[in-house]
Amino acid sequence: MAWLDDSAAAAMEALQEAGVSGRIDGTLLGTYRYTKHDLTPPRPLAVSVFLLWVESQGRSWPERRARRRRWFGIAEAARRVAEPDLAALIASLEERDPARPKSTRPRRKVARVRDPAMPF
C-alpha cells in the first residue's frame, strides 16, 4: 500500500482484516516490531499503530475466512497479544482520553483479529 500514508494504510488493513471502518486518528500511537513467519524467508517487520474509531462492522470482509473478529476491553486485549511492545501500546490506551470524533458512539474497546500465522 505504498500509495497511502501510514494512517490510511492502517484504516484499509482494518477493513480488509476485520471488516471494520470508521475515523482513523492520524496521530501515531506508536510502533512495534515482529517477525512475520509466513514469509519465505521469515523477516522482521515494523508496524505503525493508529487508533480507529469504529463506526461500522461488515458481515463480510476480504479476510473473513482466515480471521475472526472479537472485541475485548483494553486490559484483556493487551494480555492476549503475543508481541510485548504491542501489548504495551494497547495498555497505554487506559491512561489516554483521546478526543473522540463527534460522529462515533463512545467505545473503549480494542479489536483483535486472529491471524493463523501469529501465535496468541
Side-chain angles (χ1 to χ4, degrees):
M1 289 181 239
W3 68 93
L4 298 174
D5 67 29
D6 288 349
S7 63
M12 183 174 283
E13 287 286 324
L15 183 60
Q16 292 174 346
E17 295 180 0
V20 296
S21 62
R23 292 182 185 247
I24 192 98
D25 183 333
T27 304
L28 180 67
L29 180 63
T31 60
Y32 71 97
R33 294 183 177 277
Y34 78 102
T35 300
K36 187 156 182 128
H37 293 282
D38 59 343
L39 298 176
T40 305
R43 68 175 195 247
L45 298 176
V47 178
S48 297
V49 179
F50 297 87
L51 293 177
L52 174 74
W53 296 104
V54 175
E55 295 174 335
S56 67
Q57 301 179 80
R59 292 183 182 205
S60 177
W61 61 91
E63 298 185 23
R64 71 187 173 282
R65 288 188 170 83
R67 301 173 187 272
R68 189 176 80 192
R69 178 179 57 216
R70 292 181 62 193
W71 292 96
F72 297 98
I74 293 168
E76 180 68 14
R79 279 193 296 275
R80 287 179 170 258
V81 297
E83 299 83 11
D85 292 340
L86 177 57
L89 287 173
I90 293 170
S92 76
L93 295 172
E94 289 284 8
E95 292 120 34
R96 292 174 45 110
D97 189 19
R100 179 178 288 104
K102 292 178 184 174
S103 66
T104 59
R105 294 186 309 242
R107 277 193 205 181
R108 290 197 60 131
K109 300 272 184 175
V110 177
R112 173 182 155 230
V113 178
R114 185 178 184 288
D115 182 343
M118 297 298 297
F120 283 89

